[in-house]
């Protein structure tokens, strides 16, 4: 097949029989088309007849493959995307989860759509990530990245915290709340949406700041340019340890008096879709919006 891709990496959902079955079909399908296929190590344990030299770490997969196919839900895609965004690799998902905003190939009949993508007929998007840093006494203590959102919260359920928010060192507000969600457009249909945040279409260079149960009725979500730097300064009056969660996967510890800096990461995720992909069609299907009346 004449294709812009030569080496394809497979990433799966561990301990998930249905995902394993889809991966096996994918592996057989891609080999039959003449592609070189490598498999992420944890994923490879679910498959049969995979040569050991084709089992690689996720970072090595990002370096070696031209296209990564992620089988699972959005959670699997997020975990893979935080690593794969460092490399110039295209990423597409086969949905074996629940909603599947990021994984749009049907596991029951992916072959026709995937073959179209492999032939070069696809839509490509660049999704930016957030870089999250925790500073203590002006010293960097920890850092990670997020595709969907960074969430400042207490390590106890329904526990009020105090903090100040700055944008480019310009004071915005002080707040007592359960925390704050800082969301990308990709994450605007995830946790942020549940918290009353706006839906940001993927092409927007914007982030949303969504307060979590603020102790005032006047506090509302705020949308700002993504090139701005958001800084959260934790009050010394907080009595408990706090946390910043990145995509609900990675947790960074935060103490009273710490500062959390959130900004757009340098690298972007190359997300690709079949040619007939429509973001608004995804919203209608996943959020059960009404169909056309006429």
């Amino acid at each position: 097949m004449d294709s812009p891709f030569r080496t394809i990496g497979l990433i799966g959902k561990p301990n998930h029989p249905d995902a394993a079955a889809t991966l096996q079909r994918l592996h057989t399908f891609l080999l039959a088309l003449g592609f070189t296929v490598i498999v992420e190590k944890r994923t490879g344990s679910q498959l049969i007849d995979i040569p050991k030299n084709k089992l690689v770490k996720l970072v090595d997969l990002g370096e070696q493959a031209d296209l990564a196919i992620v089988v699972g839900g959005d959670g699997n895609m997020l975990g893979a995307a935080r690593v794969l965004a460092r490399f110039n690799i295209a990423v597409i998902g086969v949905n074996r989860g629940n909603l599947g905003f990021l994984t749009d190939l049907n596991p029951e009949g992916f072959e026709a759509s995937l073959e179209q993508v492999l032939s070069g007929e696809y839509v490509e998007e660049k999704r930016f990530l957030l870089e999250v840093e925790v500073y203590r006494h002006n010293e960097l203590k920890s850092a990670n990245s997020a595709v969907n959102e960074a969430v400042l919260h207490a390590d106890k359920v329904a526990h009020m915290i105090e903090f100040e928010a700055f944008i480019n060192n310009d004071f915005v507000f002080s707040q007592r709340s359960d925390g704050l969600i800082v969301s990308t457009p990709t994450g605007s249909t995830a946790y942020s949406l549940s918290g009353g945040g706006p839906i940001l279409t993927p092409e927007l260079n914007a982030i949303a700041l969504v307060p979590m149960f603020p102790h005032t009725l006047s506090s509302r979500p705020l949308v700002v340019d993504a090139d701005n730097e958001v800084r959260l300064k934790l009050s010394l009056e907080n009595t408990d340890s706090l946390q910043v969660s990145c995509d609900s996967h990675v947790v960074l510890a935060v103490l009273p008096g710490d500062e959390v800096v959130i900004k757009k990461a340098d690298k972007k995720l190359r997300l690709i879709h079949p040619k007939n992909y429509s973001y608004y069609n995804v919203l209608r299907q996943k959020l059960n919006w009404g169909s056309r009346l006429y």
Side-chain angles (χ1 to χ4, degrees):
M1 169 185 282
D2 187 18
S3 173
F5 312 111
R6 288 175 293 183
T7 301
I8 299 178
L10 298 181
I11 303 165
K13 188 174 184 179
N15 305 314
H16 192 288
D18 290 338
T22 300
L23 282 163
Q24 194 71 59
R25 279 177 57 197
L26 270 168
H27 188 259
T28 303
F29 175 72
L30 293 168
L31 288 179
L33 291 177
F35 291 97
T36 299
V37 183
I38 57 177
V39 184
E40 189 268 330
K41 268 190 173 181
R42 292 185 309 156
T43 301
S45 63
Q46 305 175 71
L47 306 183
I48 58 174
D49 300 328
I50 306 294
K52 285 189 177 180
N53 66 336
K54 298 300 182 184
L55 298 177
V56 298
K57 295 179 180 178
L58 185 56
V59 170
D60 296 328
L61 187 148
E63 291 178 336
Q64 298 175 25
D66 307 302
L67 170 69
I69 303 177
V70 182
V71 178
D74 284 344
N76 293 85
M77 176 65 85
L78 294 174
R82 283 196 302 275
V83 176
L84 297 178
R86 305 177 206 167
F87 309 98
N88 186 32
I89 179 175
V91 182
I92 192 169
V94 179
N95 186 25
R96 272 297 185 183
N98 295 316
L99 280 177
F101 275 96
L102 297 175
T103 52
D104 44 28
L105 288 180
N106 186 339
E108 305 304 329
F110 61 79
E111 287 87 352
S113 294
L114 182 56
E115 193 164 358
Q116 183 186 51
V117 168
L118 295 172
S119 69
E121 294 293 319
Y122 57 81
V123 176
E124 180 173 334
E125 292 182 311
K126 295 286 184 72
R127 302 286 186 97
F128 72 82
L129 285 71
L130 296 176
E131 184 178 319
V132 186
E133 301 171 332
V134 177
Y135 289 88
R136 189 168 302 144
H137 306 302
N138 296 319
E139 181 183 348
L140 179 64
K141 303 302 292 185
S142 59
N144 216 294
S145 59
V147 181
N148 269 358
E149 74 277 309
V151 183
L152 171 68
H153 59 95
D155 62 357
K156 295 181 179 178
V157 176
H159 190 80
M160 195 80 71
I161 63 176
E162 295 184 10
F163 61 92
E164 294 178 338
F166 298 80
I167 295 178
N168 295 338
N169 292 319
D170 194 7
F171 175 69
V172 181
F173 57 72
S174 59
Q175 193 170 98
R176 296 183 73 243
S177 66
D178 281 8
L180 183 74
I181 303 168
V182 181
S183 170
T184 66
T186 301
S188 68
T189 52
Y191 193 31
S192 171
L193 187 63
S194 299
I199 294 176
L200 306 177
T201 54
E203 74 278 5
L204 289 177
N205 185 52
I207 54 177
L209 280 63
V210 183
M212 299 167 61
F213 303 102
H215 203 241
T216 172
L217 294 177
S218 62
S219 185
R220 291 292 182 267
L222 176 65
V223 177
V224 301
D225 192 288
D227 291 329
N228 292 324
E229 179 183 274
V230 177
R231 180 164 56 93
L232 307 177
K233 185 174 181 179
L234 283 300
S235 170
L236 289 169
E237 300 300 317
N238 293 304
T239 56
D240 293 301
S241 297
L242 311 171
Q243 297 177 345
V244 175
S245 298
C246 301
D247 295 336
S248 301
H249 284 194
V250 180
V251 176
L252 307 180
V254 184
L255 296 178
D258 285 358
E259 293 190 357
V260 179
V261 175
I262 302 170
K263 55 190 176 183
K264 187 168 73 171
D266 293 333
K267 301 291 186 179
K268 292 185 178 182
L269 174 67
R270 285 182 61 201
L271 192 63
I272 64 173
H273 311 277
K275 199 74 172 178
N276 62 353
Y277 170 81
S278 164
Y279 179 73
Y280 299 105
N281 185 47
V282 172
L283 290 182
R284 284 195 303 275
Q285 289 182 350
K286 306 302 181 182
L287 301 180
N288 294 316
W289 285 359
S291 57
R292 293 179 64 173
L293 299 179
Y294 51 88

